[in-house]
Amino acid sequence: MIRLSELAPDVRASVQATRERVARLHAELPANGLVVWTAGNVSERVPGADLFAIKPSGVRYDELAADNMVVCTLDGEKIDDGTPAALTPSSDTAAHAYVYRHMEDVGGVVHTHSTYATAFASLHRPIPCVLTMMGDEFGGEVPVGPFAIIGDDSIGRGIVETLRDSRSPAVLMANHGPFTIGKDAQAAVKAAVMVEEVARTVAMAQLLGDPVPVAQGAIDSLYARYQNVYGQH
């Protein structure tokens, strides 16, 4: 078994920084109304190592800290990371690990059961691109992934299969809920916040009538500007 205490000093420092970021970013999930009780999780790839840090299973958000973020290999196996042996990683760890193994540009993964996005997932219905915000952030509709049962890497396979050729950083896993990816955990958390926001708006619009899709040319223009021009550089 890999022992954190035996890794090179620069790797240990990278692990610690990752654990601190992941612990801090978990607070964004309840703050944005994306989770209840102990549901949901954030993970981040450790820069410079084939490891990632993830939330421990079944631990309440107000009890999370850098020291109890679980460190795993890219096969989803917990290393000797200084936490108690009985502290197990999130039940979604296999899915996160599969994503990291098969999408090298992904540095962060988030899962929630946020209400409106999960409602679309329960219907196996993608969120149509009817908002300029969706063109910006998702580059089109938010797609639906296949139904998969937790416990092995089936969910991870569904995420990768759905998002590999998509501009969307979010997928609605059928009957389950949203998973989001990003270059790091902060980007994945942002996508989780945004997918719930657009799901809520589109659901309200559908109650009022038939939302009008954004034209594909406009979506492409919006996406290119938001990804390459918007913000500070």
Side-chain angles (χ1 to χ4, degrees):
M1 175 183 286
I2 297 173
R3 288 182 170 81
L4 179 60
S5 61
E6 296 175 357
L7 297 178
D10 61 328
V11 176
R12 294 201 304 270
S14 188
V15 168
Q16 181 60 25
T18 302
R19 291 171 110 172
E20 290 171 0
R21 282 193 300 274
V22 171
R24 183 177 67 252
L25 285 165
H26 271 98
E28 296 291 342
L29 304 188
N32 285 278
L34 305 184
V35 295
V36 296
W37 205 242
T38 63
N41 40 73
V42 177
S43 74
E44 186 172 75
R45 192 191 294 264
V46 175
D50 289 334
L51 302 169
F52 67 96
I54 192 168
K55 176 183 179 287
S57 179
V59 177
R60 294 183 61 175
Y61 283 84
D62 59 0
E63 298 172 354
L64 296 180
D67 290 346
N68 62 15
M69 292 299 105
V70 181
V71 182
C72 297
T73 69
L74 298 190
D75 290 321
E77 299 297 325
K78 180 184 176 180
I79 71 168
D80 182 352
D81 60 2
T83 62
L87 189 72
T88 58
S90 166
S91 55
D92 290 303
T93 295
H96 290 240
Y98 189 93
V99 172
Y100 290 130
R101 290 199 306 275
H102 292 86
M103 301 181 81
E104 293 183 359
D105 58 333
V106 170
V109 180
V110 172
H111 172 48
T112 78
H113 298 152
S114 59
T115 303
Y116 285 86
T118 302
F120 276 92
S122 74
L123 296 168
H124 295 209
R125 183 183 299 172
I127 305 173
C129 188
V130 297
L131 306 168
T132 58
M133 177 191 290
M134 294 190 66
D136 291 340
E137 182 71 26
F138 301 100
E141 72 175 20
V142 178
V144 174
F147 177 80
I149 295 292
I150 198 168
D152 58 19
D153 60 13
S154 299
I155 293 173
R157 289 200 304 273
I159 296 168
V160 171
E161 289 167 4
T162 307
L163 295 184
R164 178 172 276 153
D165 298 317
S166 174
R167 294 192 295 201
S168 175
V171 55
L172 308 175
M173 293 300 288
N175 302 101
H176 190 167
F179 282 79
T180 59
I181 59 174
K183 63 183 178 62
D184 53 28
Q186 179 167 301
V189 169
K190 177 194 174 188
V193 174
M194 296 290 279
V195 75
E196 179 63 7
E197 175 66 14
V198 300
R200 179 168 52 244
T201 303
V202 173
M204 293 298 294
Q206 290 175 338
L207 289 176
L208 296 172
D210 295 319
V212 178
V214 179
Q216 186 62 51
I219 292 172
D220 293 341
S221 178
L222 288 162
Y223 184 76
R225 176 187 174 278
Y226 189 74
Q227 300 298 323
N228 300 303
V229 179
Y230 176 80
Q232 302 302 312
H233 301 279

